[in-house]
Amino acid sequence: MKKAALIFLSFIALQTVVFSQSNKRQQAFNLSSKHVAIQGYDPVGYFAQGKAIEGKAAYSIMHDGVTYQFSSPQNKAAFLAQPTKYEPQYGGWCAYAMGATGEKVEVDPATFKIVDGKLFMFYNKFFNNTLKSWNKDEKSLHTSADANWTNHFKK
């Protein structure tokens, strides 16, 4: 009986830790009100098709508290095999803003760049395409964005 109780308490503790980590990711990531990342765009599409492709709710999954939508079962399967390969950097927030000021700024899902196999998203509205600014000082902004994101994610 004691062993069963110990196993049950261990299970509850593990679930609490997993829920806490998922909730922390949800708070850090750029998500819709339904907890969908990249405004419903397919993260694998950026790599496989080289463009922003809208995902479908029928091909959605939740990964560590974040929901992703895919345009095909094949893209969904590719993500499931290697989620960290396809997740956007900085929780899907604007990479330029994360590097320049450490702020979480919305993005235009069609404005992106893949650098060293990583997906970076950018703000692009009102005649302000931050991808252009990022390209002018990518190395420095990338270093700053990495440091700023680590600080945001730990909060």
Side-chain angles (χ1 to χ4, degrees):
M1 183 70 171
K2 287 182 181 181
K3 186 175 182 178
L6 182 60
I7 291 171
F8 178 74
L9 290 175
S10 296
F11 176 77
I12 296 297
L14 178 62
Q15 292 300 318
T16 302
V17 168
V18 168
F19 176 77
S20 174
Q21 289 171 341
S22 293
N23 193 32
K24 187 175 183 178
R25 276 177 50 94
Q26 286 177 353
Q27 292 172 1
F29 275 54
N30 183 2
L31 305 176
S32 72
S33 61
K34 295 180 181 180
H35 303 290
V36 177
I38 320 174
Q39 299 174 28
Y41 280 74
D42 180 344
V44 177
Y46 292 100
F47 295 87
Q49 287 82 28
K51 61 182 179 179
I53 301 171
E54 288 189 62
K56 299 174 184 171
Y59 305 126
S60 65
I61 59 150
M62 183 175 282
H63 172 70
D64 287 342
V66 176
T67 300
Y68 290 94
Q69 293 182 343
F70 304 90
S71 58
S72 70
Q74 295 82 5
N75 283 7
K76 180 180 174 180
F79 183 90
L80 286 169
Q82 293 181 290
T84 56
K85 175 180 178 178
Y86 298 108
E87 283 191 304
Q89 298 302 290
Y90 318 124
W93 298 104
C94 175
Y96 173 79
M98 189 60 63
T101 63
E103 293 179 84
K104 295 177 181 176
V105 173
E106 293 291 329
V107 298
D108 170 7
T111 307
F112 69 96
K113 183 174 185 178
I114 296 174
V115 179
D116 296 328
K118 301 291 182 182
L119 175 61
F120 295 84
M121 313 290 298
F122 298 91
Y123 176 88
N124 185 7
K125 292 181 185 169
F126 307 113
F127 308 106
N128 185 13
N129 182 346
T130 61
L131 174 56
K132 292 177 182 179
S133 300
W134 172 270
N135 286 335
K136 290 177 184 176
D137 192 16
E138 183 172 41
K139 185 175 180 179
S140 175
L141 287 165
H142 191 171
T143 300
S144 295
D146 285 349
N148 289 336
W149 176 247
T150 299
N151 292 335
H152 275 295
F153 197 69
K154 288 182 178 178
K155 289 182 181 179

